[in-house]
Amino acid sequence: MADAVFLDRSLCRAPDLAVAVNAAITLERPLLVKGEPGTGKTELARQIAASLGLPILEWNVKSTTRAQQGLYEYDAVSRLRDSQLGEARVHDIGNYIRKGKLWQAFEADAKVVLLIDEIDKADIEFPNDLLQELDRMEFHVYETGETIRARHRPVVVITSNNEKELPDAFLRRCFFHYIRFPDAETLKRIVDVHFPGLKPRLLDEALNQFFELRGAQGLKKKPSTSELLDWLKLILAEDLSPEDLKRPAGEMLPRLHGALLKNEQDVALFERLAFMARRQR
């Protein structure tokens, strides 16, 4: 704890986030941040790094990512090729070790923020495969026989879109923080960054329809901030007015709904709702 760096609450966009970050640092545990896509989890980690005044290392997880890649990878093929060519570098196996993001964070000269982004994209065993390394802050390199230990314990931020359940053993070792979907006022500030000067009446009408859409029961995929921004971009490109956005009686789907709804089940849901509404009139 001697080199711990804590987050000043006044520098953070939300007091509860500062509490979560400082709790994770105090407990020396990773901070697991969950929330819907588009709620700013990745950007939040960058803000944490900026607020703490620390560099950030980002490990973007994919469906094919293995936990071992975060530690290191041994390029046996290149070594074999070099041995066949008689290269002198072949005698030092370290020339064929590619350091992963955890290794880079562990050997850094000062504390860093390590972001493991979208951990739920990987195989279900991926989180468990990192338990020991994140607990002990060390790992063994079998090819060279050395043990890599963290010089300074990094602030580990792990994000998840909640697409799949994470193992209980992994969850027990994390401090949890959930980012709620932004309210209307927060979304207005986000929109203003991307579309400054958007007419208030147009934005109000668009947000009303957006939240109505999100609030529908039975949606398979609720539209996120990213879909809202795409929709507004199309609305501006079509030069639509607030009146143009208003739906005719009996219509449930908004204009240009393909930017908001991304599967046929959700479109069919609103078509059924519109049909039922017309029958009841």
Side-chain angles (χ1 to χ4, degrees):
M1 291 292 292
D3 63 343
V5 180
F6 294 95
L7 187 63
D8 186 339
R9 295 189 189 188
S10 65
L11 298 176
C12 192
R13 70 178 188 181
D16 58 339
L17 174 60
V19 171
V21 175
N22 290 335
I25 294 173
T26 300
L27 295 173
E28 297 186 337
R29 294 186 181 278
L31 174 63
L32 174 61
V33 183
K34 285 189 177 184
E36 292 182 41
T39 50
K41 299 181 296 297
T42 302
E43 186 58 35
L44 185 148
R46 294 168 184 157
Q47 288 184 16
I48 291 172
S51 297
L52 292 172
L54 301 176
I56 185 170
L57 292 172
E58 299 187 19
W59 183 13
N60 299 302
V61 177
K62 301 178 181 178
S63 60
T64 56
T65 303
R66 296 176 292 106
Q68 179 65 31
Q69 293 172 311
L71 307 179
Y72 68 93
E73 291 183 276
Y74 169 51
D75 192 349
V77 174
S78 293
R79 192 182 186 207
L80 175 61
R81 185 186 62 242
D82 288 349
S83 67
Q84 293 171 339
L85 296 174
E87 298 283 350
R89 67 194 301 268
V90 76
H91 300 293
D92 182 0
I93 198 171
N95 291 324
Y96 305 93
I97 300 290
R98 185 183 298 114
K99 298 176 181 179
K101 295 297 183 181
L102 264 73
W103 189 328
Q104 295 173 38
F106 285 4
E107 72 173 4
D109 292 330
K111 181 182 286 289
V112 302
V113 172
L114 173 63
L115 169 62
I116 305 176
D117 201 22
E118 298 189 334
I119 195 171
D120 53 330
K121 279 188 176 180
D123 184 86
I124 190 63
E125 292 303 321
F126 179 92
N128 281 338
D129 291 342
L130 290 176
L131 286 181
Q132 180 170 308
E133 288 76 14
L134 292 177
D135 260 355
R136 299 184 180 180
M137 285 287 139
E138 66 177 39
F139 63 89
H140 188 70
V141 183
Y142 296 98
E143 289 78 6
T144 63
E146 61 183 323
T147 297
I148 306 301
R149 295 183 176 87
R151 297 179 184 177
H152 307 273
R153 178 177 285 270
V155 178
V156 181
V157 179
I158 302 171
T159 71
S160 168
N161 288 329
N162 235 358
E163 292 180 359
K164 68 176 70 163
E165 289 296 323
L166 298 174
D168 288 344
F170 180 79
L171 294 174
R172 283 197 298 270
R173 289 166 169 81
C174 297
F175 189 89
F176 175 75
H177 181 75
Y178 183 79
I179 300 181
R180 292 177 176 81
F181 192 82
D183 58 20
E185 289 304 314
T186 303
L187 276 181
K188 284 182 179 179
R189 293 195 294 270
I190 293 172
V191 169
D192 188 57
V193 171
H194 294 269
F195 306 107
L198 189 64
K199 294 179 180 178
R201 284 185 58 241
L202 180 62
L203 179 56
D204 286 342
E205 180 62 32
L207 286 180
N208 286 339
Q209 293 195 29
F210 175 76
F211 278 109
E212 282 182 22
L213 208 66
R214 274 186 57 87
Q217 296 296 318
L219 271 184
K220 183 176 180 181
K221 183 189 181 305
K222 293 182 178 181
S224 67
T225 309
S226 176
E227 279 87 31
L228 171 64
L229 295 175
D230 286 346
W231 188 47
L232 288 172
K233 186 175 182 179
L234 288 175
I235 288 172
L236 291 173
E238 294 287 333
D239 196 23
L240 300 180
S241 68
E243 289 70 27
D244 294 327
L245 286 186
K246 293 183 183 298
R247 290 163 293 187
E251 288 293 328
M252 303 295 293
L253 286 168
R255 295 280 296 271
L256 304 166
H257 64 267
L260 297 171
L261 300 176
K262 297 303 177 73
N263 61 72
E264 63 277 14
Q265 294 98 319
D266 289 343
V267 173
L269 169 67
F270 280 94
E271 289 174 343
R272 287 195 302 273
L273 292 174
F275 176 73
M276 292 169 61
R278 286 193 293 269
R279 289 189 62 182
Q280 291 173 0
R281 289 206 310 271

